[in-house]
Amino acid sequence: QVQLVESGGGLVQAGGSLRLSCAASGRWFSAATVGWFRQALGKEREFVAAVHWSGGNTYYADSVKGRFTISRDNRKNLLYLQMNSLEPEDTAVYYCAAGTRSGQEFSENYDYWGQGTQVTVSA
């Protein structure tokens, strides 16, 4: 029903910024929690940030608070992750996801996933 496609990843110097985008088909986001996860090489997938599409409540992992901002464009049905003050530890494949169940920090509660976009931060 819903297809998600991430874009905006790339290579950036430490301290730099990137903005990731996630395009979703349809208008299913209106009833969903949408979020970002990341998976570094050799690591498990971890929660980054999430937002309730309708209410706008946001949630962040402690590791990115104050540096990353999640937002969405209701008209365009786009999800964004603005990443500032990037660190080498942020290097990972970033995935956007959408779901309707509670527990936004747990990947098991998301039904749809994008293909991922690589973010590499050099020291």
Side-chain angles (χ1 to χ4, degrees):
Q1 180 181 357
V2 176
Q3 295 182 5
L4 306 177
V5 180
E6 303 96 335
S7 62
L11 175 65
V12 65
Q13 288 281 112
S17 299
L18 285 173
R19 188 180 73 163
L20 305 184
S21 299
C22 178
S25 62
R27 294 289 170 176
W28 191 79
F29 273 19
S30 63
T33 297
V34 294
W36 292 92
F37 289 76
R38 67 187 183 186
Q39 186 167 16
L41 186 64
K43 303 289 186 179
E44 295 184 357
R45 185 174 299 182
E46 65 174 345
F47 171 76
V48 176
V51 60
H52 294 297
W53 191 263
S54 296
N57 297 328
T58 58
Y59 309 86
Y60 295 94
D62 289 341
S63 60
V64 305
K65 285 182 179 178
R67 300 189 298 121
F68 292 9
T69 302
I70 189 170
S71 62
R72 84 285 195 205
D73 185 321
N74 298 73
R75 186 182 68 83
K76 297 181 178 180
N77 215 31
L78 291 175
L79 176 71
Y80 301 105
L81 184 67
Q82 178 66 47
M83 304 184 294
N84 299 324
S85 301
L86 283 163
E87 304 168 352
E89 292 73 21
D90 297 315
T91 295
V93 176
Y94 284 70
Y95 301 88
C96 66
T100 58
R101 296 183 293 276
S102 299
Q104 64 282 333
E105 72 271 38
F106 301 109
S107 61
E108 294 81 5
N109 295 324
Y110 293 82
D111 302 305
Y112 303 96
W113 294 83
Q115 83 289 348
T117 185
Q118 177 71 48
V119 172
T120 302
V121 184
S122 61

